[in-house]
């Protein structure tokens, strides 16, 4: 009996932690909780990628001539997205493909996700910017130079990072939709005038952004340290699997600005 009760309790805890699909009556609280959970996914994905050195051959298109000028990482990402699309990944509005033109029709188990987004705004994407930012700016900041030959594992880890970042940044569409629903009169004038600067000002809350950056910094410190049985505190001597300052910089320079770009582009189409 005790075993059954323990199993039931564990299942209940797992159900509470699992992210539910967005409700039709979207709330800012639901969106905020989802964004906080996604911080964990991003930090852990970066830590997993940091297990491998930079592995430059994975990004060299000249090494795979049979892939038509694509690097191993790009070929892997395209192939993975085709497989995931086949089984319905991109039916979920939270997921945005990096290579949407290559995707087959889904043939997995159907599910009717709530239609939350305004149809004219649903296609807004920043995935090209995310792809370029990740490989050109972010990746060199948290990987060490070297080549260990684990190119496919490196590509897989890169894709996990990219998809976690894409999901988080495109949640700007949820943020924009819920804010518009809560106070449409606050946004109507700027939308009608196509005034990006005014919309950006309405969407910017510096105190909240600073809180987010401090929280991801702390999460990177907690998740990224080597766990021992000894009591220890964070100090300048602590070694982390990923530099927490890099995670804070990621949010400061790219995640938060790109999310707000998505929000602005979404709102500009909200009345179409």
């Amino acid at each position: 009996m005790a075993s059954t009760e323990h199993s039931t309790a564990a299942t209940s805890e797992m159900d509470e932690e699992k992210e539910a699909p967005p409700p039709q009556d979207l709330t800012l609280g639901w969106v905020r909780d989802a964004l906080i959970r996604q911080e964990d996914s991003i930090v852990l994905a970066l830590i997993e990628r940091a297990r491998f050195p930079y592995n430059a051959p994975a990004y060299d298109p000249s090494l795979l001539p049979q892939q038509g000028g694509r690097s191993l990482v790009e070929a892997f990402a395209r192939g993975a997205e085709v497989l995931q699309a086949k089984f319905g990944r991109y039916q979920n509005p939270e997921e945005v493909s990096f290579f949407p033109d290559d995707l087959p029709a889904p043939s997995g188990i159907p599910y009717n996700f709530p239609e939350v987004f305004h149809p004219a705004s649903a296609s807004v994407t920043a995935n090209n910017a995310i792809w370029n930012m990740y490989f050109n700016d972010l990746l060199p900041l948290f990987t060490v130079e070297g080549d260990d030959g684990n190119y496919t594992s490196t590509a897989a880890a890169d894709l996990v990072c990219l998809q976690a970042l894409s999901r988080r940044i495109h949640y700007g569409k949820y943020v924009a939709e819920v804010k518009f629903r809560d106070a449409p009169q606050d946004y109507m004038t700027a939308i009608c005038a196509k005034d990006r600067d005014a919309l950006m000002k309405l969407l910017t809350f510096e105190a909240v952004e600073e809180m987010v950056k401090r929280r991801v910094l702390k999460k990177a410190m907690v998740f990224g340290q080597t766990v021992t049985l000894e009591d220890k505190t964070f100090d300048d001597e602590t070694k982390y699997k990923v530099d927490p300052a890099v995670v804070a910089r990621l949010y400061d320079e790219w995640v938060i600005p790109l999310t707000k770009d998505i929000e602005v582009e979404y709102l500009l189409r909200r009345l179409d």
Side-chain angles (χ1 to χ4, degrees), residues 182-247:
D182 286 350
Q185 67 282 357
D186 292 349
Y187 298 95
M188 290 285 222
T189 301
I191 293 173
C192 291
K194 302 295 183 184
D195 191 337
R196 285 179 165 81
D197 292 339
L199 287 171
M200 185 64 75
K201 188 173 181 180
L202 287 167
L203 295 165
T204 299
F205 297 91
E206 292 183 0
V208 174
E209 293 175 9
E210 288 302 318
M211 181 178 63
V212 170
K213 287 182 279 187
R214 291 198 306 271
R215 187 169 60 234
V216 296
L217 177 73
K218 187 168 184 179
K219 286 183 177 183
M221 294 171 71
V222 173
F223 299 166
Q225 63 177 313
T226 300
V227 176
T228 69
L229 297 180
E230 301 173 2
D231 292 333
K232 58 187 294 188
T233 57
F234 302 124
D235 55 41
D236 292 340
E237 301 299 320
T238 303
K239 291 185 178 180
Y240 301 104
K241 296 164 186 172
V242 169
D243 184 352
V246 170
V247 180

Side-chain angles (χ1 to χ4, degrees), residues 66-135:
Q66 69 272 28
Q67 291 295 334
R70 296 169 182 165
S71 67
L72 185 149
V73 164
E74 182 180 343
F76 183 93
R78 287 176 179 272
E81 285 197 344
V82 167
L83 180 62
Q84 291 169 350
K86 182 178 179 180
F87 291 99
R89 180 183 183 110
Y90 300 105
Q91 290 180 293
N92 183 342
E94 295 181 14
E95 306 292 350
V96 181
S97 169
F98 285 90
F99 304 102
D101 295 338
D102 296 343
L103 302 184
S107 58
I109 301 171
Y111 183 84
N112 292 322
F113 288 94
E115 293 188 11
V116 173
F117 300 143
H118 183 65
S121 301
S123 61
V124 171
T125 178
N127 267 350
N128 285 340
I130 294 168
W131 181 277
N132 291 329
M133 173 276 293
Y134 178 81
F135 290 111

Side-chain angles (χ1 to χ4, degrees), residues 21-93:
Q24 190 69 44
D25 53 340
L26 200 62
T27 67
L28 194 56
W30 181 89
V31 175
R32 182 172 54 247
D33 289 345
L35 293 175
I36 291 172
R37 285 192 293 271
Q38 288 173 38
E39 294 167 2
D40 301 358
S41 300
I42 290 171
V43 173
L44 292 171
L46 295 177
I47 289 171
E48 182 64 17
R49 173 59 183 87
R51 290 177 51 223
F52 306 104
Y54 183 74
N55 279 340
Y59 311 106
D60 186 347
S62 70
L63 299 182
L64 285 179
Q66 69 272 28
Q67 291 295 334
R70 296 169 182 165
S71 67
L72 185 149
V73 164
E74 182 180 343
F76 183 93
R78 287 176 179 272
E81 285 197 344
V82 167
L83 180 62
Q84 291 169 350
K86 182 178 179 180
F87 291 99
R89 180 183 183 110
Y90 300 105
Q91 290 180 293
N92 183 342

